Amino acid sequence: MIVALAAGFLYRLLALILSNPAYFFEQVRNGLQLGFVYALIALGYTMVYGVVRLINFAHGDVFMVGAFTSFYAITRYGWGFLPAILLSMIICAVLAITIERVAYKPLRDAPRISALITAVGMSFFLEYFSALDFVFTPDYITYKRPFEVRVWEVGGVTISNIMIIIVVAAVLLLAFLQYVVRQTKIGKAMRATAADKPTARLMGINIDLVISATFGLGALFAGAAGVLYAIAYPQIITFVGILPGLKAFVAAVLGGIGSIPGAFLGSLIMGQVEVLTTAFFSVPLPSGEVLRGSTIRDLIAMAVLILIFLVRPRGLLGEPEAEKA
């Protein structure tokens, strides 16, 4: 079934590319835009899992807080785009470190299922607490962009300044993360903790500080992703982090959970699969109805995940446990 769906999708995609290449590249551009946003969220999932082996389901809600923080900074206080995104990143980092200290740290030696259930509970708490009237709001909010949208046409494909901002911001933040992880003292401590926590402690590494720094660093990117997502899809609600968070988590798994380049690659693939399925996939049913790609885009994305796992169980760039960074 999965193989048949994938083959049918690829055949139809190839036919449509040949018939209308400009439309295809337009959708590839949309997929890149979505994939880069997923990548910034997925980095937090993969970093936390790499260091403490925890799937932090509250990470998508930290992303939501970043979007709302920038909304209030821009609309209520007239802040510009750059100050607003920096504020969102800082607020999200503080929130994530607080969550780690209050909810996860006491369970560090408990069975993993306890921390996992706590992460799910923290996710629900953030969603419903922030929906209260005196916090954010339970209603949808139209996000006012802090700048005018400009569009250019290059070779028949339209490119907006929003697309450029998202790609440039994501690439710069990924380069910053790679520098931190590979070149700085705290990055080396993160890699040592991920490889062997007891030995890292014996070597004098402050494990608690490293774990908090990992949560904070991942949340910095989630905060930036929240702002970039809001300027690209300008309608937010306190539950806005659920689907992007889940898809970013799947992207991290697809790329190899615990691998930073893998999270980035998996996110780009997820973005492309989701957008191309929505744009090109439609199947006429015996009843006369048409099965639209927007209805089954998540099914196709999961099918791709399963297919890749059948070939490479650790994900595209996953490494053996002892070599993870």
Side-chain angles (χ1 to χ4, degrees), residues 136-190:
F136 294 149
T137 173
D139 303 320
Y140 277 97
I141 288 179
T142 299
Y143 191 96
K144 182 183 176 183
R145 295 184 176 110
F147 50 80
E148 290 186 9
V149 178
R150 299 185 182 278
V151 178
W152 301 275
E153 186 170 324
V154 180
V157 178
T158 58
I159 296 176
S160 69
N161 54 349
I162 291 177
M163 165 77 180
I164 294 172
I165 289 171
I166 288 175
V167 172
V168 170
V171 171
L172 289 178
L173 287 172
L174 177 66
F176 169 71
L177 178 60
Q178 285 288 39
Y179 171 77
V180 170
V181 170
R182 297 291 174 187
Q183 303 296 330
T184 66
K185 191 174 179 181
I186 187 68
K188 292 173 183 175
M190 286 178 185

Side-chain angles (χ1 to χ4, degrees), residues 286-323:
S287 62
E289 297 178 351
V290 176
L291 188 61
R292 301 289 180 188
S294 56
T295 308
I296 60 168
R297 61 185 182 186
D298 296 336
L299 169 67
I300 298 294
M302 293 304 113
V304 171
L305 176 69
I306 293 170
L307 282 174
I308 290 177
F309 271 7
L310 289 176
V311 178
R312 190 171 171 81
R314 289 193 298 269
L316 292 173
L317 302 181
E319 298 173 347
E321 290 288 322
E323 298 176 15

Side-chain angles (χ1 to χ4, degrees), residues 7-316:
F9 172 70
L10 291 176
Y11 173 77
R12 181 168 176 74
L13 181 61
L14 181 61
L16 290 169
I17 291 171
L18 295 175
S19 64
N20 192 350
Y23 181 67
F24 168 73
F25 287 113
E26 194 88 15
Q27 298 309 316
V28 170
R29 181 215 61 186
N30 292 335
L32 277 177
Q33 178 174 294
L34 185 60
F36 276 105
V37 174
Y38 284 163
L40 290 177
I41 310 172
L43 290 174
Y45 278 113
T46 208
M47 288 175 62
V48 168
Y49 184 84
V51 172
V52 293
R53 300 294 187 269
L54 169 68
I55 301 171
N56 180 20
F57 283 109
H59 191 62
D61 302 294
V62 173
F63 157 87
M64 172 272 294
V65 171
F68 271 92
T69 300
S70 66
F71 168 78
Y72 285 108
I74 292 168
T75 59
R76 297 285 176 86
Y77 302 104
W79 286 33
F81 176 65
L82 281 179
I85 196 170
L86 289 175
L87 176 68
S88 296
M89 292 170 72
I90 293 169
I91 293 291
C92 287
V94 172
L95 175 62
I97 292 171
T98 303
I99 291 172
E100 190 277 325
R101 289 283 175 168
V102 173
Y104 301 150
K105 184 180 176 183
L107 300 173
R108 202 163 289 164
D109 297 323
R112 287 187 184 180
I113 189 66
S114 301
L116 190 68
I117 296 300
T118 301
V120 174
M122 182 55 68
S123 173
F124 281 121
F125 172 80
L126 289 174
E127 289 162 12
Y128 286 96
F129 179 73
S130 59
L132 297 174
D133 286 326
F134 66 88
V135 185
F136 294 149
T137 173
D139 303 320
Y140 277 97
I141 288 179
T142 299
Y143 191 96
K144 182 183 176 183
R145 295 184 176 110
F147 50 80
E148 290 186 9
V149 178
R150 299 185 182 278
V151 178
W152 301 275
E153 186 170 324
V154 180
V157 178
T158 58
I159 296 176
S160 69
N161 54 349
I162 291 177
M163 165 77 180
I164 294 172
I165 289 171
I166 288 175
V167 172
V168 170
V171 171
L172 289 178
L173 287 172
L174 177 66
F176 169 71
L177 178 60
Q178 285 288 39
Y179 171 77
V180 170
V181 170
R182 297 291 174 187
Q183 303 296 330
T184 66
K185 191 174 179 181
I186 187 68
K188 292 173 183 175
M190 286 178 185
R191 287 192 288 149
T193 305
D196 191 332
K197 199 179 298 177
T199 304
R201 185 178 281 114
L202 288 174
M203 296 293 289
I205 293 175
N206 187 335
I207 300 297
D208 291 337
L209 176 65
V210 169
I211 292 175
S212 294
T214 304
F215 272 83
L217 193 55
L220 281 178
F221 299 120
V227 182
L228 297 175
Y229 184 89
I231 63 170
Y233 313 99
Q235 196 174 48
I236 58 175
I237 191 171
T238 54
F239 300 99
V240 73
I242 296 177
L243 279 180
L246 284 175
K247 290 174 181 175
F249 169 66
V250 172
V253 175
L254 176 66
I257 190 81
S259 165
I260 291 173
F264 203 76
L265 176 62
S267 299
L268 295 184
I269 292 174
M270 280 293 294
Q272 292 299 333
V273 170
E274 189 173 329
V275 170
L276 293 179
T277 301
T278 303
F280 293 109
F281 197 98
S282 63
V283 178
L285 299 176
S287 62
E289 297 178 351
V290 176
L291 188 61
R292 301 289 180 188
S294 56
T295 308
I296 60 168
R297 61 185 182 186
D298 296 336
L299 169 67
I300 298 294
M302 293 304 113
V304 171
L305 176 69
I306 293 170
L307 282 174
I308 290 177
F309 271 7
L310 289 176
V311 178
R312 190 171 171 81
R314 289 193 298 269
L316 292 173

